[in-house]
Amino acid sequence: MSPQRPVVRPTAAALADRHRLYERAVQNPRVEVDFVDRTYRLLRGRSARWLREDFCGTAAVCCEWVRRRKTNRAFGVDLDPEVLAWGRCHNLAALPQAQRVRVELLEQDVMRVVTRPLDVVLAMNFSYWLLCGRAALRAYFERVRAALAPDGVFFLDAYGGYDAYRLIIEERPLDDPELGPVRYQWEQAHYDPISGRLVCHIHFAFADGSRLERAFTYDWRLWSLPEIRDLLAEAGFSRVLVYWQGWDAQGRPDGRFEPVESGEPDAGWIAYLSAEP
């Protein structure tokens, strides 16, 4: 009688869904839509309806947008068919039919996509940083301005601080209901102070010792707030506001962003911007 072979169980890394882990680690669509919805109302005196999420990935924000009001509609634009397919299967499929039909995902280039006039265009999670030259970023901003309705608003985000120029690995814990404890790791692997090129990776480490190395890689230009504001002005936006994150009594980010004229020279900061035609 031959001995039984041991059962080889797949590792947590082999079972992991990198897009689901990304959403848990990096995104908070509810908070992001809260900010966009509230700020648009303050700027325009009405609620926005038509939203376009550029570089939308899994379209989590599009789905959150149509949950808010029956009148809300969203376009999600991304060039990656794999991530759009994941978003359709997991995020859109989870919506009721009445909400799902108000989301349209477009596998197109943000530099060429054409949609109806929009109340809001979003470029979040620093996604537009893949446009590494001034001419390319200014051209994208010009395309966004042309896509907005006369009272539309462009929202984007940025990060910086002196840690942004360092080669570092930051990590924090996640709790995945299927995989158990997970460590999210953000690695700034390369920075060139002459070109501004920044290469970053996201890794996930699991309790069984397995790892999902370079689940995502970003080859970006580290754009500063003055550069972004100047390029928005050159693209024809008449007013650009910067919203700085506040801090609670324990010195931790409180998740609230308020318009400011100047910011603190922190090790790491995150800011939103709004740009009005």
Side-chain angles (χ1 to χ4, degrees):
M1 183 175 181
S2 59
Q4 289 186 337
R5 294 181 179 179
V7 176
V8 178
R9 300 185 183 279
T11 64
L15 297 172
D17 184 326
R18 68 188 185 112
H19 295 303
R20 187 184 69 197
L21 289 171
Y22 175 90
E23 289 186 343
R24 288 184 177 278
V26 175
Q27 288 192 288
N28 192 329
R30 181 182 60 79
V31 170
E32 193 166 287
V33 169
D34 282 347
F35 171 79
V36 169
D37 214 16
R38 180 177 65 251
T39 304
Y40 185 91
R41 220 164 20 244
L42 288 171
L43 293 173
R44 296 304 190 223
R46 68 175 181 88
S47 294
R49 291 182 56 202
W50 292 89
L51 174 143
R52 192 179 85 197
E53 183 187 5
D54 285 352
F55 316 98
C56 70
T58 63
V61 172
C62 286
C63 293
E64 179 64 25
W65 182 253
V66 299
R67 289 189 186 101
R68 293 303 173 97
R69 288 181 294 275
K70 293 180 179 179
T71 55
N72 282 8
R73 295 180 176 271
F75 298 99
V77 183
D78 204 291
L79 274 174
D80 186 345
E82 186 260 341
V83 73
L84 289 175
W86 192 97
R88 289 189 182 96
C89 181
H90 293 83
N91 289 335
L92 262 69
L95 295 175
Q97 174 68 11
Q99 295 175 359
R100 190 161 59 246
V101 297
R102 292 187 275 115
V103 178
E104 184 175 355
L105 300 188
L106 305 171
E107 185 187 330
Q108 295 187 38
D109 187 337
V110 296
M111 299 297 289
R112 294 183 171 86
V113 66
V114 176
T115 52
R116 59 152 290 139
L118 301 156
D119 298 321
V120 170
V121 174
L122 304 181
M124 296 298 195
N125 291 331
F126 328 113
S127 51
Y128 62 97
W129 284 9
L130 60 83
L131 301 169
C132 296
R134 290 187 89 260
L137 189 56
R138 184 177 64 247
Y140 169 61
F141 289 166
E142 289 170 348
R143 292 284 300 179
V144 171
R145 184 178 180 276
L148 290 168
D151 62 348
V153 180
F154 179 32
F155 290 93
L156 56 166
D157 59 4
Y159 82 83
Y162 48 86
D163 273 354
Y165 303 95
R166 298 174 57 209
L167 305 186
I168 59 174
I169 297 178
E170 298 176 342
E171 65 174 55
R172 53 186 168 81
L174 299 176
D175 187 22
D176 188 278
E178 296 180 12
L179 301 173
V182 183
R183 301 293 298 181
Y184 158 79
Q185 297 177 335
W186 171 258
E187 179 185 7
Q188 292 174 180
H190 171 85
Y191 175 70
D192 176 9
I194 294 178
S195 66
R197 184 185 180 210
L198 176 68
V199 178
C200 302
H201 309 294
I202 290 176
H203 317 287
F204 297 100
F206 304 93
D208 65 357
S210 63
R211 292 177 56 83
L212 196 56
E213 293 282 349
R214 299 191 179 186
F216 298 93
T217 292
Y218 306 97
D219 194 336
W220 284 341
R221 163 83 173 264
L222 179 57
W223 290 99
S224 70
L225 285 175
E227 290 174 313
I228 296 167
R229 295 175 73 195
D230 287 349
L231 287 168
L232 287 166
E234 290 177 24
F237 287 94
S238 62
R239 183 168 73 149
V240 178
L241 300 178
V242 176
Y243 303 79
W244 209 254
Q245 184 167 242
W247 303 87
D248 63 19
Q250 285 73 44
R252 296 172 300 193
D254 64 6
R256 293 195 61 83
F257 291 81
E258 302 294 341
V260 296
E261 294 294 332
S262 61
E264 297 295 327
D266 299 321
W269 51 259
I270 293 176
Y272 285 124
L273 297 93
S274 65
E276 302 168 59

